[in-house]
Amino acid sequence: NISHAIQLALVHDLCEALAGDITPYDGESEKDKHIKEDEAMNQICILFETEIGLPHIWKKLYSLWNEFEENKTKEAKFVRDLDKFD
């Protein structure tokens, strides 16, 4: 589903606006990286709910980000492979 893959691609790095771009060369464990990015994504989602007034959007954003993180769907795997080219 190309439309869904594009949505994943747009959302997957959103948390880096707050957490920073943590690479494998930074010495962070995968667990610590995920915790930082999850906290950042939660902060962003709270902004959509409270400040921007779009409570239905944060659920979709978090769901897409989480799908990418879990890497279980074909679309998530495709987007992750594209991200590795970066």
Side-chain angles (χ1 to χ4, degrees):
N1 182 334
I2 296 297
S3 175
H4 189 68
I6 290 170
Q7 290 176 35
L8 288 169
L10 290 171
V11 171
H12 85 279
D13 278 341
L14 190 58
C15 62
E16 290 181 7
L18 298 178
D21 187 10
I22 304 166
T23 71
Y25 308 105
D26 293 331
E28 290 276 343
S29 71
E30 278 297 314
K31 181 180 177 183
D32 288 342
K33 177 184 181 224
H34 181 76
I35 289 170
K36 285 182 181 179
E37 290 181 347
D38 186 58
E39 288 172 356
M41 199 63 198
N42 278 306
Q43 289 177 351
I44 290 168
C45 289
I46 287 169
L47 285 174
F48 273 92
E49 184 172 18
T50 59
E51 300 295 322
I52 301 171
L54 298 171
H56 58 286
I57 298 294
W58 76 264
K59 292 177 186 176
K60 180 68 174 175
L61 290 175
Y62 192 84
S63 174
L64 288 165
W65 177 79
N66 198 52
E67 179 182 341
F68 176 81
E69 286 296 305
E70 290 179 348
N71 198 34
K72 292 181 181 177
T73 64
K74 290 179 184 179
E75 292 86 355
K77 290 176 183 184
F78 175 70
V79 173
R80 185 171 296 276
D81 287 345
L82 290 176
D83 190 45
K84 294 210 184 258
F85 284 121
D86 183 27

